[in-house]
Amino acid sequence: LKLQFLYLIGEYSDHLSRQIMMSTGDDNSEACVVAKVDEGRANDASAADEAEDCIAPDSWQGWVIVFGAFIVEFTVLGATNAFGSLFDEFQADETLGKPSAAKVSLVFSLSTGLLPVVGLAAGRFTDRYGPRVVQMFAGFMLGVGLLASSYCTNYWSLLVVFAITLGLASGCTIVPGLTAAGEWFDAKRPLAIGIVASGSGLGTTGVPLLGNLWVGAPSTTGENWRQVFRKLSLLAIPAILAGALTRRRRPYRPPTDDDEAAASRLSTKDILTNKLVVMLFLVGLLFGCGYFSLLVYIPHYAHSGGQAPYEDREKFTDLQCTVLLAVFGLAQSTGNVFWGDMGRRFGPRNMFRAVLVVNCVGFLTMPWCYNYALQTVFAVTQGFVVAGCLTSFPATAASYFAGPQLGSIISVAYLGFGAGGTVGPPVAGALLDGTGGRYLVMSLFGSVCFAAAFFVVHFLLPDPAVHAQRQKTVAEENARLLDAEA
C-alpha cells in the first residue's frame, strides 16, 4: 500500500505539472532543444508529449523543483543529524547496555560513511529514472529508519538499523537534489544549487533543536529518545510530498537504445577514468578533509578551555558549545544562498577558487580565538565562507558536465568529499594527540587541505568556457570526418 501510495503521488504530481507547463511554458524558446522525432511519428501523442514537456532553462518551473529539493534536504538531513542531540539519552539507556561515547558515535559515523557510497548509486539511478523516485525513496527510508530504530532493544540492532536506513536516506537526498537544480537552470544554476544546499544547514540547525525540546531528563529506559525518533519519523510525509515535486527537464531524459543520444553516454568505467572527473574527485577529497575537520573540532575546541594546554582559558558549557555549532549552521545556510548568487554573476569556478583561499587563511586563525566572543565570530565567518565551497563545488562540476549524466558525475565528486570526511578528522585528531592538544598543527593541516584543493582547481581544472569550446571543436571535427567518409 505504501508503494502504491508513492506511485499515485508521483503520477498525480506529474500530471499536474504537465497541465501547468502546457498552459504557461514557452515551447518555442530557442534555448529549448526538443528531442528528435521521426516524421512518421510527428502526429503521435507521445511525440506531442515530448514537445510539450520541453521547458527552457531558468524558467519559473525550475524554482518549484528547487523548493522540493530544499524541503527534502531540510527534513532528511536535519532529522538524521538530530542523532547528536540525543547523545546523553543513548549513553544512559540500560536497554542498550549504556554504551560508551565511542560506541554511540559509531552509529552515526557508519550512516555518514554510507552516504557517499549510496550517493554513487543514487547518481546512476537519478540519471536513469529521474530525481523524483530517488528523493521520494529517501523520504520513505527516513520514516522507516527512525520508526524501526525506536523499537530496537539492544545496541547492535540500533547500529545496523539506523546506519543502513538513514545512510540510504541521506545518500539518496543530496545528489538527486543538486542534479535536479543543475538540470533546470543555466545562468542561475549556482544560485539554485545554493538554495538547495542551504536546506542541509537549516535542517541541521532547526531539527536537532526541536529534538532537544522534546527531551527531558535522561531516562534509563530510553523512552525519551524513542519518542523523539517516532515524532521525527513524521517528517517523512513532507519529504515524500516534496520529493514528488522534483522531475526532469526536457531534453534531459533517459535515452532509449534506439536514441541517438545513447551513443554519447559514458559508461561507468569511462566516468571513473575521465580526467576531469578524477580531478573533481581529488578536489572533493581535499576539500572534505578540511571541511569535516573544521566541522568536528569547532565544539571540541570550545570544550578545551580550562584543560591542558589551555588552562588559562574560560571553560564553556555544553549549551554554549551547541550554540556555536548552531551558529555555524545558520551562517552556512545564509552563505549557500549568497555565494550561489555570486557564482551566478562571476562563475562558479571563480567563486570556488576565491572561497578556498579565504578558508585557507581563516582556518589559521582558529588557535587565536581564546574567548567565546572570538570563537563565535570564527564560527560565523567560517560557516559563511565554507558555504561557498559547498555551493560552488557541485556548480563547478555541473559547468563541465551539464547533461543526462550529471547525477553520476556529481556523485563521484561527492564520493571524494565523503572520503575526505572519513580521512580528515582522524588525521586531525592524531595531530592533536601528538602535539598535546595544541590546535596550531591541526589548523595548519586544515589550511593545507584547502590550499591543495585550490591548487587543483586553479592549475588542473580548465576554464569551463574553454573546455566547452574545445569539446565543440572536437565534435565538429568528428562530424566532418564522418561526413567525409560517407
Side-chain angles (χ1 to χ4, degrees), residues 288-298 363 366 420 424-425 428 442 445-446:
C289 284
Y291 170 75
F292 283 103
S293 297
L294 178 67
L295 183 64
V296 169
Y297 288 101
I298 279 182
F363 214 144
M366 186 177 187
M442 193 279 287
F445 166 73

Side-chain angles (χ1 to χ4, degrees), residues 300-308 310-316 375:
H300 191 274
Y301 180 58
H303 271 294
S304 65
Q307 305 175 26
Y310 302 110
E311 298 92 339
D312 57 333
R313 297 185 182 181
E314 178 186 0
K315 182 176 178 61
F316 305 137
Q375 290 195 29

Side-chain angles (χ1 to χ4, degrees), residues 319-337:
L319 178 61
Q320 286 177 309
C321 296
T322 302
V323 168
L324 274 180
L325 198 57
V327 166
F328 179 86
L330 284 173
Q332 180 179 309
S333 299
T334 305
N336 282 327
V337 179

Side-chain angles (χ1 to χ4, degrees), residues 83-97:
F83 183 92
S85 66
L86 304 170
F87 208 92
D88 292 339
E89 289 291 326
F90 292 117
Q91 285 193 286
D93 190 351
E94 293 180 349
T95 62
L96 300 179

Side-chain angles (χ1 to χ4, degrees), residues 270-271 273-280 460-461:
D270 292 334
I271 290 175
T273 56
N274 184 283
K275 181 181 178 180
L276 280 178
V277 176
V278 173
M279 291 298 103
L280 289 170
L460 301 182
L461 282 179

Side-chain angles (χ1 to χ4, degrees), residues 30 35 51 105 189 191 196 243 278 314 361:
E30 294 181 358
S105 300
R189 182 183 296 141
L191 176 60
V196 173
V278 173
E314 178 186 0
V361 176

